[in-house]
Amino acid sequence: MDTLSYKTISANKATVNKEWVVVDATDQPLGRICSKVAKLLRGKYKPNFTPHVDCGDNVIIVNADKVVLTGNKWNDRIYLRFTGYPGGQKEYTPATLRAKGDDRLFRKVVKGMLPKNRLGDKLLNNLYVYSGSEHKHAAQTPKSIDINLLK
């Protein structure tokens, strides 16, 4: 019987081509930019996406201090953390996270959008966040993309 044979091509660590991407966060809403960055880290925009492989790009976010939240979310939104001890529930806001460093705020938001397993932990290590417009990854020759053009 003559039939066509279609094979599903699954990427692995050796066949994946990882790129370096620069994203400018100036005047971008925090949740929208982080959801697109999470998809970039995961590799969802690539045609050879494989769910169980790190096939995403390395993402550099610049001007992280210029990200916006609408309304009064900087002080009204509350994140909770539990230390494990009685009475150990701590609460903090995006404003307090940004005061400690823009890296913490972006990592918290993007981490919630990645898989909750070992792969998600590895993907989060491919994220680099900088407050100003300068970054130290010029040797990797990253390409700058407009985050608004992605779906």
Side-chain angles (χ1 to χ4, degrees):
M1 180 174 178
D2 288 332
T3 61
L4 292 174
S5 174
Y6 295 106
K7 292 185 179 180
T8 302
I9 298 173
S10 180
N12 59 21
K13 195 173 184 179
T15 61
V16 163
N17 56 341
K18 295 178 72 72
E19 298 174 352
W20 285 80
V21 176
V22 175
V23 174
D24 190 10
T26 305
D27 297 330
Q28 297 285 332
L30 177 67
R32 292 187 188 227
I33 192 170
C34 286
S35 65
K36 293 175 183 179
V37 164
K39 286 176 81 172
L40 280 170
L41 288 171
R42 189 98 198 271
K44 289 267 195 157
Y45 291 114
K46 294 187 174 184
N48 61 347
F49 169 70
T50 307
H52 63 278
V53 178
D54 178 10
C55 56
D57 297 331
N58 296 305
V59 179
I60 304 164
I61 299 176
V62 294
N63 295 321
D65 53 345
K66 297 178 183 170
V67 74
V68 296
L69 280 176
T70 58
N72 200 18
K73 292 179 191 163
W74 284 113
N75 297 316
D76 287 349
R77 176 168 288 164
I78 295 175
Y79 297 128
L80 296 175
R81 186 175 68 86
F82 183 59
T83 63
Y85 289 96
Q89 184 170 340
K90 309 290 183 185
E91 62 181 35
Y92 49 95
T93 62
T96 58
L97 272 182
R98 188 167 74 166
K100 293 180 182 179
D102 294 313
D103 183 29
R104 291 188 184 196
L105 179 61
F106 274 90
R107 285 192 177 277
K108 168 145 184 63
V109 175
V110 171
K111 183 179 180 180
M113 300 178 186
L114 290 176
K116 278 63 171 181
N117 52 23
R118 286 179 293 189
L119 178 62
D121 296 338
K122 290 178 186 174
L123 292 175
L124 196 60
N125 290 331
N126 296 332
L127 177 66
Y128 303 92
V129 182
Y130 296 100
S131 296
S133 61
E134 299 296 320
H135 59 85
K136 59 181 182 180
H137 303 284
Q140 282 77 20
T141 61
K143 64 177 185 176
S144 180
I145 64 167
D146 185 13
I147 200 77
N148 294 324
L149 298 178
L150 299 176
K151 289 195 174 198

